[in-house]
Amino acid sequence: MTDGMLLREAMSDPLLKRYQAICLDEAHERTLATDVLMGLLMEIIPKRPDLKVLIMSATLDAEKFQKYFNGAPLLKVPGRTHPVEIFYTSAPERNYVEAAVRTALHIHQCEAPGDILIFLTGEAEIEQTCRELREAAESFPETSGELVVYPLYSSLPPAAQKLIFSAAPKAKVAGGVPGRKIVVSTNIAETSLTIDGIVYVVDPGFSKQKIFNPRARVESLLVSPISRASAKQRAGRAGRTQPGKCFRLYTEASFNNDLQQTTYPEILRSKMESVVLTLKKLGIDDLVHFDFLDPPAPETLMRALELLNYHGALDDEGEMTDIGYKMAEMPLDPQLAKLMLVAPDYNCSDEILSIVACLSVPSIFMRPKEQAKAADEAKAQFANSESDHITLLNAYNAYLQTNRDRNWCWDNFLNERSLVQADSVRKQLVGIMTKLDLPLRSNDRKSAVYNTAVKQALTASNFMQVAYLLRNGSYLTVKDNQSVMLHPSTDVEGKPQWVLYEEFVLTNKNYIRTCTATNVEWLVATAPHYFDLSNFPAGETRDELELAYRRMANRK
């Protein structure tokens, strides 16, 4: 099972009495759930002397883990990989994408048969590299063998992802040079899957990491150097089926001196709301002294406690409330869990379930670069000019009306795999709603309140993620005072005065993504404890809130 599933099971069985042995594999990946599980096991082991625990990994900082588990014995199992020859550059590369293309073409022209795996950081780089390699391959003489190039990244349609497993092209004539396959991938190919036939690995030494800044409450995807453990893992991909070669596009001195030993664990660079809620449900109240392998920053924990308190999951003493227990039952972000809890009050739990299901899976909209205009036109038929959330709902409802037709998805640039996943998530959420005695209600789709009810429910759960339009035309997030812009992918038109958003992403600019226009009076009515004027600095936002409070008082 996944680490997340075992963690959820621990909520109902804190001593994990159903199990006599637990094996945590791929421990070096240090996911959030793995780290929490290890802390939990440290609490369980003294109470369960019969329990056997095995921590497994290919590239583990063994001493650190041994020390953490009170000097547990270490077993080394020799691997069956073939030898891999490693090459470094003599000087640092100015542009690692150009260097990767150059290296791959050099391998194709000069090295023995065998497929090539190039590691890059994201979709834009991968698509650019694939284009350049294909263009270069057209100018090669026929004697050099055919070259096929496949990209691999998470938002790629499933059919295109499967192409990486196809065999390299054969020689065009008998006795001729066999063709070669190049896979250009994100670090998904580092540990998650093995591609047969890979003999050469090109490693520029970078990957994208999600990093959470608790001060500004911003999650950003940053390109950062990989660790030495990751570099070894990448090199190992070349020696799975036969001896291979790894071309590292950085110097040996850089590898030894500049790269850190292991990747920063997720717990040091993630939001902690879900973790805090899980630990509270497990009966662990002293979060500061909980035995984490790497304790998270106190500020991240404070932010998590603050959010959970504003959402009513924890009271002012930090104890769990009834709302908190219900939110912990849902395998969702606390804000999405709160959204499901408030939805029946607005008679739109049926619609909210579909929206939450679509937000819990990879994007349901596809936008291939070469067909961007057609994809935008297809998305426009579902678009709602006031809410990206309702756009998702419209697309999901249209998918159901076509009886989940695969060809219809393809024609309308919808990711069928994500929609099937959303369907499955929705069924699970319906089960949880039933278990918690939350009614499934829906407004008439033709009624005037249909969209308004959805927007009000979203406001009641996303009131901490709101931005206000200043006179200069830019948006300012409430309380955190970050200057932001609506993401180019949004369908929200006409720059509404107040918008709520699902995520704040930092790329080359500050963007808010998946937005919905909201109303200042809804905000102060649903969350007066958050929009308390005594906590607000002077400015345009405060002036608007004061006016809203006055208008409401006059009506009373």
Side-chain angles (χ1 to χ4, degrees):
M1 64 173 87
T2 64
D3 45 10
M5 282 169 74
L6 187 59
L7 196 53
R8 293 208 70 75
E9 199 160 326
M11 285 189 188
S12 51
D13 177 13
L15 291 178
L16 295 171
K17 288 176 185 159
R18 287 182 54 201
Y19 304 105
Q20 289 176 301
I22 292 170
C23 163
L24 288 183
D25 198 6
E26 304 288 7
H28 65 276
E29 289 188 8
R30 300 289 303 277
T31 65
L32 207 50
T34 297
D35 267 29
V36 177
L37 266 180
M38 286 196 287
L40 196 58
L41 287 169
M42 286 300 287
E43 302 250 327
I44 293 172
I45 289 167
K47 300 168 191 167
R48 289 273 319 271
D50 60 315
L51 181 69
K52 291 185 175 70
V53 178
L54 181 63
I55 310 291
M56 291 200 335
S57 166
T59 55
L60 195 65
D61 178 6
E63 283 178 21
K64 182 175 182 174
F65 278 75
Q66 267 189 294
K67 195 174 169 189
Y68 178 67
F69 283 104
N70 306 325
L74 174 69
L75 299 171
K76 285 193 179 178
V77 182
R80 293 198 305 274
T81 53
H82 297 272
V84 176
E85 211 175 334
I86 301 214
F87 300 91
Y88 293 92
T89 57
S90 54
E93 290 289 348
R94 186 173 295 173
N95 184 325
Y96 64 84
V97 178
E98 280 175 21
V101 172
R102 199 170 58 241
T103 307
L105 295 173
H106 175 80
I107 294 169
H108 181 58
Q109 288 169 302
C110 307
E111 295 284 351
D115 298 336
I116 305 169
L117 172 60
I118 303 174
F119 284 101
L120 288 174
T121 67
E123 182 180 340
E125 282 179 5
I126 288 172
E127 290 294 356
Q128 178 195 336
T129 301
C130 289
R131 230 175 5 258
E132 289 177 19
L133 287 169
R134 286 179 190 127
E135 283 165 14
E138 285 170 14
S139 60
F140 284 166
E142 287 206 357
T143 50
S144 67
E146 192 185 344
L147 190 68
V148 292
V149 185
Y150 300 120
L152 178 63
Y153 47 86
S154 61
S155 59
L156 201 63
Q161 288 185 17
K162 281 181 190 162
L163 293 174
I164 62 163
F165 298 110
S166 46
K170 301 235 175 341
K172 286 180 180 171
V173 289
V177 182
R180 200 189 294 269
K181 172 176 76 178
I182 299 183
V183 176
V184 190
S185 172
T186 58
N187 54 353
I188 193 171
E190 201 176 289
T191 54
S192 306
L193 53 96
T194 300
I195 307 162
D196 273 349
I198 298 293
V199 180
Y200 305 100
V201 166
V202 178
D203 173 19
F206 290 97
S207 70
K208 262 188 185 164
Q209 282 193 340
K210 203 175 243 192
I211 294 166
F212 177 66
N213 173 352
R215 199 150 294 173
R217 280 195 302 178
V218 184
E219 236 176 5
S220 38
L221 267 175
L222 300 180
V223 173
S224 43
I226 59 171
S227 61
R228 270 174 276 172
S230 283
K232 286 173 187 162
Q233 192 82 21
R234 289 179 175 191
R237 300 278 123 186
R240 285 302 173 106
T241 49
Q242 65 187 77
K245 294 181 180 179
C246 175
F247 296 84
R248 288 180 176 161
L249 305 181
Y250 42 93
T251 62
E252 192 166 4
S254 266
F255 174 78
N256 290 321
N257 307 326
D258 299 342
L259 300 189
Q260 58 193 55
Q261 181 63 42
T262 52
T263 310
Y264 276 120
E266 209 178 329
I267 202 158
L268 298 182
R269 48 189 176 84
S270 293
K271 294 182 190 176
M272 292 293 291
E273 288 87 359
S274 296
V275 174
V276 169
L277 201 57
T278 303
L279 292 175
K280 286 279 182 187
K281 178 86 196 297
L282 288 163
I284 293 155
D285 289 321
D286 189 357
L287 300 175
V288 177
H289 295 106
F290 181 69
D291 197 359
F292 285 112
L293 182 56
D294 287 293
E299 195 167 357
T300 315
L301 279 174
M302 288 305 294
R303 277 292 196 186
L305 290 165
E306 179 192 37
L307 181 137
L308 292 169
N309 177 247
Y310 276 128
H311 279 294
L314 302 178
D315 62 22
D316 292 347
E317 274 70 53
E319 298 300 319
M320 263 180 107
T321 62
D322 287 348
I323 294 173
Y325 280 108
K326 283 179 180 172
M327 282 165 73
E329 285 293 317
M330 300 180 188
L332 295 167
D333 241 22
Q335 269 172 242
L336 291 178
K338 178 71 183 290
L339 178 57
M340 282 179 52
L341 291 177
V342 298
D345 300 341
Y346 298 93
N347 285 338
C348 61
S349 39
D350 210 36
E351 290 79 18
I352 291 299
L353 276 172
S354 302
I355 291 171
V356 170
C358 289
L359 289 171
S360 305
V361 299
S363 175
I364 63 170
F365 296 110
M366 294 192 295
R367 195 175 184 265
K369 245 193 177 68
E370 62 281 1
Q371 292 173 287
K373 190 166 181 276
D376 289 343
E377 283 168 7
K379 188 184 176 190
Q381 63 187 319
F382 312 116
N384 181 290
S385 62
E386 292 193 329
S387 173
D388 292 331
H389 295 86
I390 295 173
T391 301
L392 286 171
L393 175 65
N394 292 344
Y396 181 76
N397 285 340
Y399 165 67
L400 296 184
Q401 280 162 8
T402 59
N403 288 327
R404 302 175 171 81
D405 183 350
R406 170 178 288 186
N407 294 331
W408 178 85
C409 290
W410 182 255
D411 294 342
N412 287 279
F413 293 90
L414 291 172
N415 188 332
E416 193 224 358
R417 187 180 178 183
S418 288
L419 284 163
V420 168
Q421 226 177 318
D423 235 4
S424 161
V425 169
R426 195 181 187 287
K427 283 193 188 96
Q428 288 178 48
L429 295 178
V430 168
I432 293 168
M433 293 276 281
T434 310
K435 183 179 162 190
L436 295 175
D437 286 332
L438 294 169
L440 283 175
R441 294 178 182 151
S442 177
N443 285 301
D444 177 14
R445 202 170 291 185
K446 290 177 185 159
S447 72
V449 296
Y450 181 76
N451 286 348
T452 306
V454 171
K455 288 191 290 182
Q456 284 178 314
L458 287 163
T459 305
S461 68
N462 277 44
F463 57 84
M464 289 181 76
Q465 293 186 181
V466 174
Y468 172 69
L469 181 66
L470 300 173
R471 290 189 196 100
N472 64 10
S474 69
Y475 279 97
L476 192 72
T477 60
V478 170
K479 284 203 177 177
D480 298 323
N481 293 333
Q482 298 289 313
S483 183
V484 293
M485 296 168 68
L486 297 180
H487 196 270
S489 65
T490 186
D491 291 310
V492 175
E493 292 173 5
K495 285 205 168 181
Q497 196 76 57
W498 293 83
V499 288
L500 58 88
Y501 56 90
E502 212 55 57
E503 53 181 332
F504 182 152
V505 284
L506 179 68
T507 48
N508 51 348
K509 291 178 183 159
N510 287 353
Y511 284 118
I512 48 176
R513 196 159 56 191
T514 316
C515 304
T516 287
T518 186
N519 178 321
V520 65
E521 292 184 10
W522 296 348
L523 288 165
V524 295
T526 54
H529 58 302
Y530 186 71
F531 295 98
D532 179 1
L533 293 177
S534 60
N535 291 335
F536 263 83
E540 289 179 45
T541 317
R542 186 193 166 104
D543 296 345
E544 277 296 312
L545 289 166
E546 268 183 9
L547 280 171
Y549 276 119
R550 264 191 231 135
R551 282 196 299 269
M552 287 171 70
N554 289 341
R555 268 185 224 137
K556 283 176 186 170

